[in-house]
Amino acid sequence: MTKIKRFFYNRRVVRYYRKGKAYLNNLEYLKTQQESKKEILKKPSRTTIINYLLSLKKGDTTYLEIGVRNPEHNYNHIIANIKYSVDPGIEFKKNPVDFKMTSDMFFDKLIKDEILTNKIRFDIIFIDGLHLAEQVDRDIENALKYIKDDGFIVLHDCNPPTEWHARENFQYKNTPAGDYWNGTTWKAFLKWRGNSSVHSCCIDSDWGVGIISKHHPLGKSITTVNTFYEYKTLEKNRKEHLNLIDFESLKQLF
Ligand SMILES: C[S@@+](CC[C@H](N)C(=O)[O-])C[C@H]1O[C@@H](n2cnc3c(N)ncnc32)[C@H](O)[C@@H]1O
């Protein structure tokens, strides 16, 4: 390397070092990292919560999971008599599911009686597919048509600990949340929290496990709405707006 090239190269290295150091020591960055660490230590897991809800049912149980990825992480551990899975196979190449398609396609075919039977009713539908508000909202609306009257809709990722976890863009990982991503599922869940025809709560564990029921009194709907779905408003009113409760409190409801 010539002297002149080395001079400019060294300046660039120093600039990168300074910028990197400032980024890694930034309070927002450190706080976000702390929040990720706190969240991954919380218990129980979504799997335990779903299995608990299934255990309340008498007789044979039927379970549907939307968005499966690696079934070893949840699906294979769900205890139900009949199980079905839906995933277009975006994140896990093997994609060993029953219906290799999007949730929209699945519900469209189900309603037309092209798959299973449109008379089917599930004890639990676990929505964990595309984590964007509009899609999750549609998944909830469709799922409500296919759960039993005393069934549950369960949703993963309803309680993002920071706005970086709640970013829209899954692909962009240069944020303080890094690989962790809850997307905007919380907005769809919050919208349904405002609907008085359903009961809902969110378990404060595993990034927020939302539960919706037509029948079980899980919690009253809210009238104060975060009209513009601002993250800061969620942060200030998290407990009330999401009806955030711990697992023990959920058990006491039954
Ligand atoms: C977060 S992962 C699911 C994790 C799994 N449920 C668990 O508990 O470990 C999200 C999955 O949703 C799938 N997915 C993405 N878009 C989808 C869509 N429109 N409909 C259904 N699944 C979708 C992805 O392929 C991915 O496998």
Side-chain angles (χ1 to χ4, degrees), residues 96-217:
V97 297
D98 298 305
F99 301 103
K100 296 181 200 302
M101 57 185 75
T102 64
S103 50
D104 283 346
M105 228 179 268
F106 171 80
F107 284 118
D108 185 53
K109 284 181 179 293
L110 187 60
I111 208 161
K112 291 179 183 153
D113 227 358
E114 290 173 6
I115 49 173
L116 301 172
T117 155
N118 60 19
K119 305 259 176 340
I120 196 166
R121 295 294 177 271
F122 299 92
D123 291 281
I124 292 193
I125 298 182
F126 179 36
I127 298 176
D128 197 15
L130 180 60
H131 286 44
L132 293 178
E134 270 191 37
Q135 180 65 61
V136 179
D137 181 41
R138 210 159 45 241
D139 287 345
I140 296 173
E141 199 160 339
N142 282 324
L144 277 169
K145 297 177 201 151
Y146 291 100
I147 53 165
K148 293 179 182 169
D149 283 342
D150 64 346
F152 299 99
I153 294 174
V154 177
L155 299 115
H156 196 212
D157 292 300
C158 291
N159 185 28
T162 76
E163 62 184 302
W164 306 108
H165 295 87
R167 69 189 183 277
E168 266 179 50
N169 190 344
F170 166 65
Q171 302 296 344
Y172 187 69
K173 301 192 174 165
N174 280 336
T175 85
D179 277 340
Y180 296 114
W181 185 71
N182 306 124
T184 51
T185 297
W186 73 271
K187 296 184 183 181
F189 181 67
L190 185 65
K191 181 181 162 194
W192 284 88
R193 285 274 310 124
N195 187 318
S196 60
S197 69
V198 293
H199 311 272
S200 54
C201 67
C202 179
I203 308 303
D204 187 5
S205 194
D206 200 348
W207 309 98
V209 179
I211 309 175
I212 296 177
S213 163
K214 293 191 260 192
H215 168 87
H216 298 283

